Amino acid sequence: MKSLTRGKMWCYAIGQLGWSIISGLIGSWLVYFYQPNQEAINEGMISLIPQGRVVLGLLTIIGLITAFGRIFDAVTDPLVGNWSDKCKSKLGRRIPFLRWSALPLGLVFVLVFCAPVSAVSSLNTIWLFITVIAYYFLITCYCTPYTSLLAELPHNQEEKLKLSMCISLTFIVGTCVGYAAPIIWGIFIGNGMARIPAMRITFAILSCLATIFMLVPAFGIKEKDYCDAQPSNSNMLSSLGKTFKNKDFKIFVCQDIIYWFGLAMFQTGLPFFVTSLLHLPEAWTTYMMGGLTFLSLIYYPFVTKMTAKWGKKKLLVAAFAGFVLTFGFTALSGEKIGFIPVTVQAVIIVVLGSFPQAIFGIIPQTIVADIALSDEVQTGESRSGMFYAARTFAMKLGQSLAMLLFTSLATIGVAKAVSGAATEQAAGSPLGYRIVALVASLCCIAGGLIMSFFNEKKIMETINERSE
């Protein structure tokens, strides 16, 4: 087997740059597009689907659709992971999935934002439901096999950590590109284009770029040059059952669900925190995400050194503590701490969040790879695809719950529409957004407590036994 060169590491990581652009756009702007707040309405947004808590008086349409999409996505993760583990293609077990799913994923992503009626319509609701489901299935078909390669391409802990750093960097940059979308559509609007068409063209441009990036590892890496894992013979339920018999993996998955729940609440809310709490222009979402990215990159070398000194578990617990402070401060931002200028408040949020973001950008992927390798040593069966699928299942379950809860919590404090009023009604309030940030902070406390039970020492001892 060939050693993984730096060039091939970046070839692999560019694929993550692609899908993280699309994922970042969905995470940042889907709710903003279909459930606009008052500031967005003032800038020209219109409602395309029913607004407010119209389902049982508790849930929103956009919340239900995105939550169902995430749950569907999470359920299909083990299925795709098992398909990938059992794949017998001459190209390998993972690369065929990357090749056929990238282009359809880029196309369907654009269609998500292309509801056919320019007003509130049940047809738009149906369109959104179908395209969101298709989007989540296709991103699973790309991401689950893709992340499985993280456990199979590198041949030692050093290569694994370097590869994890590369994909962490491209993930952050991709997500940051998603937050930069307002700058692009702002140019179109400045030249006389209406807001919604400008946003759609922006999404189409970024989708084309993302698709090209996703195809780079699909055609640039010869999987069988780096790994010779044999296809698994286990069916999906059997493989999934074996995966969740691993005690430490169950602990990791529990904290991961909570982490992604809190992070998705915050990520989805950031444009609203900027415009409704800090009362800053929409473009500040881009500035803050850019700041988070820049500072996180500065911390990367320190994270790798601290990992070697203190271990991965302690760093994750520390990162949870950092997010508790970040999200808690956000809940108080704006006039609640008005003695601090709002621009300074925005900088504080960036500074507080950058270090934990750097840790979570690098460490969790390597922990899953360690667990998968340790399990392979103990069982003699390579099921890294299922481990990553199960981890992705946890991630998407947390995100689906976040989307469902965010869209409902955000409506707390919204004034009821005046009967007969013809103006657009905002679908969120400052009070609701503060509650969102507070819930995200509390979730991170729980995540840190759960992670403290993870037995990193036992896993590393098992891996070292194989090397001896």
Side-chain angles (χ1 to χ4, degrees):
M1 296 291 102
K2 293 182 179 180
S3 295
L4 196 60
T5 65
R6 185 175 296 275
K8 288 299 180 182
M9 287 184 183
W10 285 110
C11 179
Y12 173 74
I14 287 174
Q16 179 129 327
L17 176 59
W19 73 257
S20 63
I21 289 175
I22 287 178
S23 176
L25 288 167
I26 285 286
S28 303
W29 304 111
L30 180 62
V31 173
Y32 191 80
F33 189 87
Y34 282 103
Q35 186 173 299
N37 62 357
Q38 189 61 56
E39 288 75 14
I41 291 171
N42 293 342
E43 293 293 329
M45 288 296 294
I46 62 173
S47 299
L48 299 172
I49 61 174
Q51 301 295 303
R53 289 172 283 179
V54 298
V55 182
L56 303 176
L58 298 172
L59 306 174
T60 64
I61 294 294
I62 183 64
L64 278 175
I65 290 176
T66 53
F68 184 85
R70 281 293 187 183
I71 293 171
F72 171 81
D73 184 19
V75 170
T76 56
D77 275 323
L79 179 63
V80 173
N82 189 243
W83 286 347
S84 181
D85 281 342
K86 296 170 70 173
C87 180
K88 298 179 181 179
S89 169
K90 63 181 180 180
L91 297 174
R93 299 192 296 173
R94 319 300 182 188
I95 293 298
F97 287 85
L98 272 58
R99 288 191 177 185
W100 77 259
S101 60
L103 188 58
L105 173 57
L107 176 61
V108 167
F109 162 76
V110 176
L111 293 178
V112 168
F113 295 94
C114 293
V117 181
S118 297
V120 175
S121 169
S122 58
L123 181 60
N124 289 343
T125 302
I126 296 170
W127 176 278
L128 181 62
F129 177 80
I130 292 173
T131 54
V132 163
I133 293 298
Y135 161 80
Y136 281 124
F137 176 70
L138 288 167
I139 201 167
T140 294
C141 289
Y142 188 92
C143 291
T144 296
Y146 176 87
T147 51
S148 300
L149 288 171
L150 180 61
E152 299 170 351
L153 294 178
H155 299 141
N156 54 57
Q157 285 291 321
E158 182 181 359
E159 286 185 357
K160 190 184 302 178
L161 194 59
K162 287 181 178 179
L163 188 60
S164 182
M165 281 187 60
C166 289
I167 65 173
S168 174
L169 171 62
T170 52
F171 179 81
I172 291 176
V173 171
T175 304
C176 191
V177 170
Y179 277 109
I183 294 177
I184 301 175
W185 72 58
I187 295 173
F188 292 122
I189 293 172
N191 284 284
M193 186 177 292
R195 185 180 181 85
I196 288 182
M199 294 178 75
R200 287 171 173 165
I201 291 176
T202 299
F203 294 143
I205 292 171
L206 293 176
S207 180
C208 289
L209 184 64
T211 301
I212 293 171
F213 289 149
M214 287 190 288
L215 290 171
V216 169
F219 290 93
I221 292 178
K222 294 182 179 180
E223 182 181 333
K224 291 198 172 182
D225 286 351
Y226 302 95
C227 50
D228 59 356
Q230 297 301 309
S232 172
N233 294 318
S234 299
N235 60 40
M236 186 192 75
L237 293 179
S238 174
S239 181
L240 188 61
K242 292 176 183 177
T243 299
F244 277 102
K245 281 184 180 179
N246 189 304
K247 178 182 176 181
D248 288 297
F249 184 67
K250 285 188 285 188
I251 292 173
F252 176 83
V253 164
C254 287
Q255 67 83 34
D256 216 33
I257 291 173
I258 292 174
Y259 161 68
W260 285 108
F261 175 84
L263 185 65
M265 293 272 281
F266 185 80
Q267 183 184 32
T268 304
L270 186 56
F272 301 103
F273 301 150
V274 168
T275 56
S276 290
L277 299 186
L278 297 175
H279 299 293
L280 290 169
E282 191 178 64
W284 267 81
T285 305
T286 303
Y287 306 151
M288 291 178 68
M289 192 60 196
L292 280 166
T293 302
F294 177 74
L295 287 179
S296 294
L297 296 181
I298 292 177
Y299 286 127
Y300 270 29
F302 299 101
V303 172
T304 56
K305 291 179 181 179
M306 287 187 290
T307 300
K309 184 175 181 179
W310 291 314
K312 300 165 187 173
K313 169 183 171 179
K314 290 181 180 178
L315 284 185
L316 277 190
V317 173
F320 271 120
F323 274 139
V324 169
L325 293 176
T326 305
F327 301 160
F329 182 85
T330 302
L332 296 173
S333 62
E335 61 269 16
K336 297 294 183 183
I337 47 175
F339 57 90
I340 303 175
V342 290
T343 52
V344 176
Q345 292 182 36
V347 171
I348 291 173
I349 292 171
V350 168
V351 172
L352 288 175
S354 57
F355 183 62
Q357 179 171 291
I359 294 174
F360 270 102
I362 298 174
I363 301 301
Q365 300 98 315
T366 62
I367 289 180
V368 179
D370 290 340
I371 295 172
L373 183 55
S374 172
D375 188 81
E376 182 180 348
V377 172
Q378 293 176 317
T379 65
E381 186 177 10
S382 175
R383 291 180 292 102
S384 58
M386 185 56 74
F387 273 101
Y388 276 98
R391 192 260 168 146
T392 308
F393 173 90
M395 175 184 77
K396 291 169 183 175
L397 179 60
Q399 290 174 331
S400 65
L401 293 173
M403 298 299 285
L404 188 63
L405 192 58
F406 174 89
T407 53
S408 295
L409 290 178
T411 64
I412 295 175
V414 173
K416 293 183 178 180
V418 178
S419 178
T423 56
E424 287 281 348
Q425 180 72 15
S429 74
L431 175 60
Y433 301 136
R434 293 188 193 282
I435 293 173
V436 164
L438 178 60
V439 170
S441 181
L442 294 175
C443 286
C444 288
I445 294 176
L449 291 174
I450 292 173
M451 191 61 196
S452 66
F453 292 96
F454 182 74
N455 194 340
E456 181 182 4
K457 182 179 179 181
K458 183 186 73 173
I459 291 172
M460 298 312 298
E461 287 176 349
T462 303
I463 293 174
N464 292 334
E465 287 174 6
R466 183 187 189 184
S467 302
E468 293 175 355

